[in-house]
Amino acid sequence: VCVVDIPDIEGWVYGGEFLLTSGYIFQDDPERLIQLIETANKYGAAALGIKTERYIDRVPQSVLRIADKLAFPVIGIPSHYAHTDIINPVLITISEQTLETMNLSDNIHKEFIDIILSDGSIDNVLALLNKYISRELLYVDIVTGERFAYTTSVEFSQLIEDVPLASLSSHFPNEKIYLNDKLRGYLFIEKPISDTTADLVMKHAKEALLLLLKAEHDRWQLIKGREAQLIQDILYKRFRHDSEIINRGRSLGVHFAGEQVVLVVG
């Protein structure tokens, strides 16, 4: 909430403000309120409150017509109201809403983290996301080509199985998932979401997906590194007995039983 004591507010409004004026600076020329309203609207202010019956008896019709044309709220404030009678309750309300949002965010974050800590999967993340936003969901991994869906609709299931990725992108709202600054996949939503809670849940769901994908990527890198080390140790004859090679391979899921084929590519 901001008190306006100059007619030219350009450079002082950044968006979302509820502007208040006693009308003192406009008492000689109330028509100048038009400029104030146009500037406030241009920079995204929320509304303008004008004290009446003190310095301005009534707001001119020309001013109200401009406000109506811009769909910009102009609120008449009784002259006996002090600015603090408006500012304090608004700030208290904002603080309470902020605290409520923070608590909700913490609870949602904990639910998604619990999934990760309990060795959950992408399917589990999609199920929790669906619980909050009630939307059919699809995650497409562009690296592996895998598709993970949470859907109760036969039509949606068939559609996401058959439709190419490019067509899905043009038909459904989607969120891009980046891993190490590289696009890893798309999270598709059956239809748009618009409320604050849904946006909050979506943010935490994307974070959870990212953590799962990073853990999978790190695990894959570790396994590939160990496999490469195994092959190198074999080539440089670092094993004294064949049983050592077999046991090391078995720990990596590589089985040397039976005949083997070796291919060297330059």
Side-chain angles (χ1 to χ4, degrees):
V1 185
C2 302
V3 178
V4 178
D5 57 6
I6 55 173
D8 183 9
I9 60 169
E10 190 164 352
W12 298 97
V13 175
Y14 302 97
E17 295 92 345
F18 177 23
L19 306 173
L20 301 177
T21 179
S22 64
Y24 177 77
I25 56 177
F26 301 102
Q27 62 180 329
D28 296 328
D29 186 7
E31 296 283 337
R32 294 176 69 192
L33 283 165
I34 291 176
Q35 179 190 348
L36 178 68
I37 289 170
E38 289 176 337
T39 305
N41 180 72
K42 178 182 176 181
Y43 290 99
L48 172 65
I50 305 172
K51 276 194 177 183
T52 53
E53 300 174 356
R54 187 174 182 187
Y55 299 110
I56 298 177
D57 290 333
R58 61 185 181 84
V59 178
Q61 285 299 314
S62 57
V63 174
L64 296 179
R65 277 196 294 271
I66 291 295
D68 286 342
K69 181 180 177 182
L70 297 173
F72 185 82
V74 174
I75 301 170
I77 299 173
S79 58
H80 64 275
Y81 263 63
H83 289 320
T84 52
D85 291 336
I86 297 168
I87 293 172
N88 291 346
V90 171
L91 293 182
I92 289 170
T93 301
I94 290 174
S95 298
E96 289 174 347
Q97 289 177 346
T98 301
L99 182 61
E100 186 179 329
T101 300
M102 288 173 62
N103 289 336
L104 177 63
S105 180
D106 286 344
N107 291 335
I108 293 170
H109 176 72
K110 183 178 182 300
E111 286 191 73
F112 279 109
I113 290 299
D114 285 345
I115 287 176
I116 295 168
L117 294 178
S118 60
D119 292 326
S121 63
I122 291 176
D123 290 323
N124 298 136
V125 171
L126 296 183
L128 181 56
L129 179 56
N130 170 270
K131 168 188 157 186
Y132 279 103
I133 69 173
S134 302
R135 296 287 192 276
E136 311 283 304
L137 299 162
L138 169 70
Y139 171 71
V140 179
D141 192 312
I142 64 172
V143 173
T144 65
E146 293 176 284
R147 296 188 176 199
F148 302 85
Y150 190 94
T151 175
T152 56
S153 163
V154 176
E155 293 80 9
F156 189 77
S157 299
Q158 291 174 341
L159 187 64
I160 61 179
E161 286 295 329
D162 301 335
V163 175
L165 178 59
S167 298
L168 284 172
S169 300
S170 60
H171 279 83
F172 295 103
N174 61 82
E175 297 280 343
K176 295 181 177 67
I177 308 296
Y178 288 91
L179 181 62
N180 299 327
D181 296 325
K182 294 182 179 178
L183 182 62
R184 177 59 189 259
Y186 292 88
L187 177 58
F188 292 98
I189 313 158
E190 170 201 9
K191 53 188 177 182
I193 54 175
S194 56
D195 63 279
T196 305
T197 300
D199 289 338
L200 196 62
V201 177
M202 181 60 69
K203 171 177 170 285
H204 288 303
K206 287 173 65 178
E207 289 172 351
L209 279 174
L210 190 57
L211 286 172
L212 285 175
L213 292 169
K214 189 174 188 317
E216 179 192 323
H217 176 76
D218 291 347
R219 191 161 49 242
W220 179 82
Q221 291 278 54
L222 182 63
I223 292 171
K224 296 305 289 184
R226 286 177 176 172
E227 288 178 353
Q229 187 62 53
L230 171 63
I231 300 302
Q232 194 176 81
D233 289 346
I234 293 173
L235 291 175
Y236 285 98
K237 299 182 179 179
R238 290 173 180 152
F239 295 102
R240 289 175 296 175
H241 304 288
D242 288 351
S243 60
E244 293 177 27
I245 300 175
I246 292 169
N247 289 336
R248 174 84 77 81
R250 189 179 293 121
S251 71
L252 296 173
V254 179
H255 301 284
F256 290 110
E259 295 183 357
Q260 304 293 321
V261 175
V262 177
L263 176 65
V264 179
V265 181

